């Protein structure tokens, strides 16, 4: 595992959600404390860490493919696989040629202990707790290679939706303490952080186990000086209360007008079969409340196509409902059969061909929604946080507005991690707008900016 300089290097690879990225960054910090540094792209790592996802069968397939590719690329490196795929199917992962250590989700943030054992014993290891035994909250607040920090505030889920394996992969819901989370936010601020995303598996369940309240966490974080932006990664519609929405709209200093809310289906019958905790009337109410209080808010919505029980009639209801909602974007997922889930007992099954057709229809709808939402802001100025330390070869840097529009503009490295007013001028593509930072507008005459 050593190279000529006797300094160990690690390469990190993450699949899946923001929570996984947060935890991978925390793993990197933990290894750094052991003197193991992050390998540069051109360097050969001594340790390879793969943090996997298992939300769908495709996620498992991507995990297997990535593991094999990394093993072929760096056959001499110690290969550690963790995350949800490792938690749910540890023996399957361990059977992949070249995997040295398999760690479940409860073990991933103790990776240093397992690497020390490996150094001494050189013996392959599978360490995975049963999900019922996962009870400890292990925090993480890191930014890795990105500008924004991810603050893990909650883990696990008690909902047991019929199609989902996440409770089995992540364990029961558990939370951090508000005082500890505020201290992490203060550390991020002291390190120059400008934006924090609150992450978790079911963030709105924060405090269920500790007796603290989610709204109180938001208020305490909002008071942390120098953090200029907060976002909630994703929150269930039944847990996004009117009080939270009104507080963000009317009182919050730093929580941005952007929301990510899972719908999963626009059919009440399918929602019932999924064992979701709401129906479309509640979802409509939440979207209407956000739009009435924050007309410019970005609203991203998760939706599943082709779930068991989604007959042609229910699909038409779901699509019609999705069309009617004044949201900004849909994140579309094809339904994936997951072993051990109750959904396998639901009779009606959608063919793969029909599932792909429904995914395509929802994706087109999402593109239309995003274009319509984004077009409203062309010709206006929005504050953009520039998120990469260096502009590309073309001098273009990327960032996000307060309401989560992706913007690119000519900028210098001095703009990195700063928030500047930016005039939005046109589309670059369906997902990205183009513009000028204010400092560049002095060099532009008349309407020439429209040609940018």
């Amino acid at each position: 595992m050593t190279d000529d300089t006797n300094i160990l290097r690690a390469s990190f690879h993450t699949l899946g959600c923001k929570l996984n990225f947060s935890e991978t960054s925390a793993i990197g910090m933990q290894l750094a404390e052991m003197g193991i540094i992050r390998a540069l792209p051109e360097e050969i790592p001594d340790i390879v860490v793969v943090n996997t996802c298992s939300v769908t069968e495709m996620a498992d397939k991507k995990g297997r493919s990535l593991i094999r590719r990394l093993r072929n690329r760096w056959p001499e490196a110690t290969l550690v696989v963790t995350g949800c795929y490792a938690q749910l199917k540890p023996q399957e992962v361990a059977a992949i040629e070249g995997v040295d250590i398999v760690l479940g989700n409860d073990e991933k943030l103790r990776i240093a202990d397992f690497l020390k054992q490996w150094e001494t014993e050189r013996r392959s290891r599978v360490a995975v707790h049963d999900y019922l035994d996962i009870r400890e909250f292990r925090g993480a607040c890191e930014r890795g290679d990105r500008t924004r920090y991810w603050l893990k505030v909650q883990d696990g889920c008690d909902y047991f939706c019929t199609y989902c394996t996440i409770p089995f992969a992540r364990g029961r819901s558990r939370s951090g303490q508000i005082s500890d989370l505020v201290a992490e936010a203060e550390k991020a601020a002291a390190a120059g952080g400008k934006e924090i995303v609150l992450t978790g598996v079911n963030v709105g369940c924060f405090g269920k186990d500790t007796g603290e309240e989610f709204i109180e966490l938001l208020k305490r974080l909002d008071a942390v000086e120098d953090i200029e932006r907060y976002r909630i990664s994703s929150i269930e519609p039944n847990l996004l209360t009117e009080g939270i929405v009104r507080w963000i709209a009317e009182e919050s200093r730093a929580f941005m007008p952007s929301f990510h809310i899972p719908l999963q289906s626009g059919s009440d019958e399918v929602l019932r079969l999924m064992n979701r905790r709401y129906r479309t009337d509640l979802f409509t109410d939440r979207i209407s409340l956000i739009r009435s209080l924050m007309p410019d808010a970005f609203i991203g919505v998760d939706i599943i196509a082709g779930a068991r029980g989604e007959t042609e009639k229910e699909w038409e209801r779901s699509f019609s409902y999705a069309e009617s909602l004044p949201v900004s974007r849909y994140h579309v997922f094809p339904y994936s059969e997951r072993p051990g889930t109750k959904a396998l007992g639901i009779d009606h099954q959608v063919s793969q061909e029909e599932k792909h057709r429904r995914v395509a229809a929802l994706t087109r709808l999402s593109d239309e929604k995003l274009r319509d939402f984004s077009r409203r802001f062309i010709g206006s100025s929005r504050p953009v946080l520039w998120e990469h330390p260096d502009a590309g070869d073309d001098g273009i840097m990327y960032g996000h507005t307060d309401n989560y529009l992706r913007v690119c503009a000519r900028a210098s490295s001095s703009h990195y991690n700063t928030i500047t007013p930016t005039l939005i001028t046109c589309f670059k593509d369906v997902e990205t707008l183009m513009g000028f930072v204010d400092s560049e507008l002095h060099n532009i005459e008349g309407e020439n900016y429209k040609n940018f």
Side-chain angles (χ1 to χ4, degrees):
M1 283 172 56
T2 59
D3 60 14
D4 292 340
T5 64
N6 293 322
I7 297 175
L8 298 181
R9 289 170 169 80
S11 176
F12 302 93
H13 307 268
T14 307
L15 298 170
C17 62
K18 290 184 175 69
L19 181 56
N20 260 11
F21 280 90
S22 172
E23 291 173 336
T24 298
S25 295
I27 290 170
M29 291 295 292
Q30 188 179 133
L31 297 192
E33 292 175 359
M34 297 173 60
I36 301 171
I37 65 175
R38 184 181 294 267
L40 297 174
E42 67 274 13
E43 293 179 325
I44 298 175
D46 304 287
I47 301 165
V48 175
V49 179
V50 184
N51 194 359
T52 61
C53 175
S54 190
V55 71
T56 64
E57 175 57 34
M58 181 56 69
D60 288 356
K61 183 177 180 180
K62 287 181 179 178
R64 290 190 295 271
S65 176
L66 177 61
I67 292 165
R68 292 182 178 119
R69 190 165 67 250
L70 294 171
R71 163 52 65 214
N72 290 335
R73 184 178 181 185
W74 297 306
E76 300 302 318
T78 298
L79 180 54
V80 184
V81 181
T82 185
C84 291
Y85 180 33
Q87 175 71 36
L88 291 172
K89 301 178 181 178
Q91 297 308 320
E92 182 175 304
V93 173
I96 298 174
E97 184 178 357
V99 172
D100 298 305
I101 303 172
V102 179
L103 301 179
N105 278 322
D106 199 40
E107 289 77 18
K108 69 166 62 168
L109 295 180
R110 293 192 292 116
I111 188 173
D113 296 335
F114 293 98
L115 285 173
K116 289 174 183 176
Q117 290 178 7
W118 169 262
E119 278 289 296
T120 302
E121 303 171 2
R122 292 294 171 138
R123 178 172 58 88
S124 297
R125 179 76 183 274
V126 176
V128 177
H129 271 96
D130 184 88
Y131 79 97
L132 291 173
D133 296 326
I134 301 176
R135 300 184 180 277
E136 184 179 353
F137 176 81
R138 301 184 188 279
C141 181
E142 306 295 342
R143 70 177 174 189
D145 295 330
R146 305 191 181 196
T147 299
R148 64 177 66 92
Y149 280 74
W150 296 296
L151 174 60
K152 178 180 174 182
V153 302
Q154 182 273 343
D155 203 345
C157 185
D158 296 337
Y159 274 17
F160 290 93
C161 297
T162 58
Y163 58 89
C164 185
T165 58
I166 296 304
F168 307 105
R170 284 281 181 175
R172 305 305 291 264
S173 182
R174 54 206 185 277
S175 312
Q177 295 285 339
I178 289 179
S179 57
D180 294 336
L181 299 172
V182 169
E184 291 293 338
E186 290 172 341
K187 289 179 185 176
K194 294 291 191 294
E195 179 174 329
I196 292 178
V197 181
L198 309 189
T199 66
V201 174
N202 193 345
V203 169
C205 276
F206 173 86
K208 180 180 178 181
D209 56 326
T210 63
E212 297 182 316
E213 294 186 2
F214 188 48
I215 185 66
E216 181 59 27
L217 170 66
L218 303 186
K219 291 178 178 178
R220 291 279 301 279
L221 290 172
D222 199 57
V224 176
E225 295 182 3
D226 296 326
I227 297 298
E228 299 184 40
R229 292 182 169 185
Y230 287 100
R231 302 185 197 274
I232 302 169
S233 60
S234 178
I235 185 168
E236 294 284 306
N238 52 302
L239 299 174
L240 181 60
T241 65
E242 180 177 343
I244 291 173
V245 175
R246 288 192 177 278
W247 178 80
I248 291 174
E250 299 170 355
E251 299 181 45
S252 169
R253 173 190 64 86
F255 275 83
M256 295 294 99
S258 65
F259 297 85
H260 188 135
I261 313 170
L263 170 62
Q264 311 305 21
S265 176
S267 157
D268 283 341
E269 172 60 15
V270 175
L271 289 175
R272 182 188 69 79
L273 292 172
M274 288 178 166
N275 195 32
R276 300 294 285 166
R277 306 296 180 94
Y278 56 87
R279 297 295 180 262
T280 54
D281 57 349
L282 183 143
F283 200 91
T284 300
D285 178 74
R286 294 297 183 268
I287 300 301
S288 298
L289 179 64
I290 293 170
R291 279 281 168 257
S292 67
L293 296 175
M294 292 170 275
D296 292 348
F298 188 98
I299 306 175
V301 174
D302 292 340
I303 190 166
I304 296 172
R308 284 216 178 205
E310 189 181 76
T311 63
E312 185 65 28
K313 181 179 179 181
E314 299 307 328
W315 154 247
E316 290 174 358
R317 285 177 174 168
S318 183
F319 187 82
S320 178
Y321 180 72
E323 278 187 310
S324 73
L325 287 175
V327 302
S328 311
R329 183 178 197 172
Y330 284 104
H331 300 268
V332 184
F333 301 90
Y335 170 73
S336 178
E337 303 274 37
R338 307 307 289 142
T341 58
K342 291 185 177 180
L344 299 181
I346 298 172
D347 288 336
H348 182 79
Q349 193 170 357
V350 180
S351 69
Q352 286 298 113
E353 182 181 12
E354 177 61 18
K355 200 181 297 181
H356 292 324
R357 186 186 73 82
R358 295 178 187 183
V359 166
L362 286 168
T363 301
R364 288 193 297 271
L365 175 63
S366 176
D367 288 346
E368 292 170 8
K369 294 281 188 184
L370 184 57
R371 276 193 297 266
D372 289 345
F373 179 76
S374 301
R375 189 177 292 114
R376 293 169 43 196
F377 302 98
I378 293 178
S380 67
S381 180
R382 306 292 297 196
V384 174
L385 173 59
W386 302 103
E387 298 168 358
H388 298 281
D390 298 301
D393 294 338
D394 54 2
I396 299 298
M397 188 173 281
Y398 290 81
H400 282 84
T401 64
D402 54 336
N403 61 340
Y404 209 62
L405 293 169
R406 188 170 186 258
V407 176
C408 67
R410 290 194 181 95
S412 68
S413 58
S414 64
H415 287 94
Y416 170 65
N417 202 34
T418 66
I419 298 174
T420 63
T422 302
L423 176 66
I424 297 173
T425 61
C426 60
F427 283 95
K428 180 178 186 291
D429 52 51
V430 68
E431 296 190 349
T432 309
L433 293 162
M434 302 181 77
F436 285 104
V437 295
D438 271 5
S439 60
E440 292 295 312
L441 292 177
H442 300 294
N443 301 322
I444 302 167
E445 296 181 1
E447 298 294 308
N448 288 339
Y449 70 82
K450 291 183 179 178
N451 297 318
F452 177 64

